[in-house]
Amino acid sequence: MRVRVFSGVQPSGNLHIGNYLGALKNWVAIQRDYESIFCIVDLHAITVYQDPAELKRKIRETAGLFLACGIDPAHSSVIVQSQVTGHAELAWMLTCVTPLGWLERMTQFKAKSQAQETIGDGILQYPVLMAADILLYQAGIVPVGDDQAQHLELTRDIAQRFNSLYGETFVVPATKLPLVGARVMGLDEPDKKMSKSATGANHAVGMLDPIDVARKKIMRATTDSQPAIVWDTLAPGVENLISIYRAFGEVDEATARQEFEGLRYGDLKKKVADMVVESLKPIQQRYAEITADPAYLDGILQSSYERIAPIAQSTVELTKTRMGLYTR
Ligand code: TRP
């Protein structure tokens, strides 16, 4: 059996170049080497309040962007989490083997719960649902950024605990993330990872930003007070711009150094903006084509669903059987 790959993105906020370079671009590159499932994790999105009409729109937008970025629906499955009931079912069964302490020590949980006065149970359960996403498909590889490494480690712990309590049931996914994408930082605060929820107007370049807006955001990116690039002492903002350039253009370090050493910041930004804009144009073009026909997208989501539903079904049945729950 071919190794299965599973990964997911939340349909909240705007998908940006950090999501593309850190995740999607990798997915596209590896999709044909595995049996690939890419999921729009709307059940994760509702761990914080989402406007229903907006969420509905974002789910389709995210699916359209997956395809526009090069996910090949003839080969890979593009699914919406809430359509496959097994995610929520398995999440409950896994919740029951997960010690509370494991969840309370998750760094994302700690950060999110400190930032709010009242905290929804969904925020605590978030990583169990993520474990269910992965284990439901017996995925061996989960391409995600480092910020998800702890969640992936928890997934392994939960799988191992279940297997030892109830017998071999789940594939324990690899911890090593064999896929390294660029870690893109915020353009306005290059010490923080580019984030969908950041509020700064120049923080992120959205995949669907109008071209002139994308260009302007890059031209305004934070650098430092030096006039030009000194390769051995790059300010974080400058390093970020170069890394965006290299990731889009697949430019190796030696070549980048030659191109950029001594260059004035204004010229650096112009080069980066050109690279980003030229990379976004064909993606936006495909996105426009894909979304021109809503039935096309529905068809892809439906055929993906039909392809993966039996896998999800059989894992749920197996898990229920192992636990002694009712099956026919
Ligand atoms: N938590 C992931 C993120 O925020 C999204 C996600 C949910 C995911 N379920 C997943 C990623 C399963 C990989 C596999 O990026």
Side-chain angles (χ1 to χ4, degrees), residues 49-69:
Y49 177 82
Q50 303 291 328
D51 176 75
E54 179 71 357
L55 179 59
K56 192 173 171 181
R57 196 179 66 72
K58 283 282 173 196
I59 291 167
R60 298 185 66 86
E61 182 182 292
T62 308
L65 269 170
F66 279 14
L67 301 177
C69 289

Side-chain angles (χ1 to χ4, degrees), residues 13 58 65-66 90-91 116 124 144 183 212 226 268 271:
K58 283 282 173 196
L65 269 170
F66 279 14
L90 188 60
Q116 278 159 275
L124 181 70
V144 284
R183 184 172 151 81
D212 55 321
Q226 300 299 310
L268 160 72
K271 272 185 83 134

